[in-house]
Amino acid sequence: MTRVVGLTGGIGSGKSTVAAMLRALGATIVDADRIVHELQAPGQPVLERMVEVFGREILDAAGALDRKSLGAVVFNDAAALKQLGLIVHPAVGAEMLRQVNAARDAASPLAVADIPLLYEGRRVGRDTATMVGVDGVILAWVPVEIQLVRTMERDACSEEEARARIRAQLPIDEKRELA
């Protein structure tokens, strides 16, 4: 029987490192971020809907999603962020469920549903963790100051942009209380 756990954390909290460690130990990782990137590729219906809602300004010259441009729109506008979630999350949840079920069918001993916004989704009715049937949750936690530094380094963004991204998520200490 496959045990399924949710893996979550805040931006810059080290969730990807934890996922890599679990993968090295033999876990099947179902990565929401990777799925998002696949669903937002040129020609995919999710990206087409995003362009309808947010405009062609979110695309680069080649027609691919310009994540920095999209971030400038959604990380400073709660309504835009909510609209983005309504476009992306149902498709991501369905694909995550498909992949978790494939891990169950393959009798993988552990499937890890890597869901960065696990708790945020629960609060707005997009509970992917319940949909895929997690048995528990692992939280990658670091102090906010470390999140800030890591986010600025990883995303090559300003401190204010990094703070906006952190504020767009449930505070890491609240996630810690829930985990």
Side-chain angles (χ1 to χ4, degrees):
M1 182 168 115
T2 301
R3 185 170 174 93
V4 181
V5 297
L7 171 61
T8 194
I11 189 169
S13 66
K15 190 177 52 53
S16 297
T17 300
V18 172
M21 293 166 66
L22 293 169
R23 180 181 287 113
L25 293 170
T28 299
I29 307 298
V30 179
D31 184 342
D33 282 343
R34 185 185 54 71
I35 292 168
V36 167
H37 283 262
E38 291 170 2
L39 294 174
Q40 293 175 341
Q44 293 298 313
V46 168
L47 180 60
E48 290 172 5
R49 179 69 181 131
M50 289 169 59
V51 171
E52 288 173 17
V53 171
F54 300 111
R56 297 201 61 78
E57 302 80 38
I58 66 168
L59 299 178
D60 64 17
L65 180 62
D66 181 337
R67 294 183 188 287
K68 190 163 185 144
S69 294
L70 177 64
V73 173
V74 302
F75 291 123
N76 294 302
D77 180 342
L81 185 60
K82 181 178 180 180
Q83 183 64 35
L84 178 63
L86 292 171
I87 295 167
V88 174
H89 291 291
V92 173
E95 179 58 20
M96 289 196 77
L97 178 59
R98 188 195 69 71
Q99 290 186 26
V100 166
N101 285 337
R104 286 180 176 124
D105 291 346
S108 175
L110 178 66
V112 178
D114 182 343
I115 308 170
L117 302 178
L118 186 147
Y119 292 116
E120 291 85 345
R122 286 182 175 176
R123 291 187 170 197
V124 294
R126 293 187 306 265
D127 190 355
T128 305
T130 298
M131 182 173 28
V132 300
V134 301
D135 300 307
V137 176
I138 298 169
L139 173 71
W141 181 92
V142 295
V144 173
E145 298 78 26
I146 299 210
Q147 282 186 276
L148 182 63
V149 169
R150 287 179 177 173
T151 300
M152 290 183 338
E153 289 175 358
R154 183 193 73 195
D155 297 348
C157 64
S158 70
E159 182 176 336
E160 185 50 42
E161 289 171 319
R163 287 188 187 281
R165 292 173 188 188
I166 291 169
R167 281 191 307 268
Q169 298 182 347
L170 188 66
I172 191 78
D173 287 330
E174 286 185 43
K175 290 182 181 188
R176 187 177 187 182
E177 291 175 19
L178 294 168

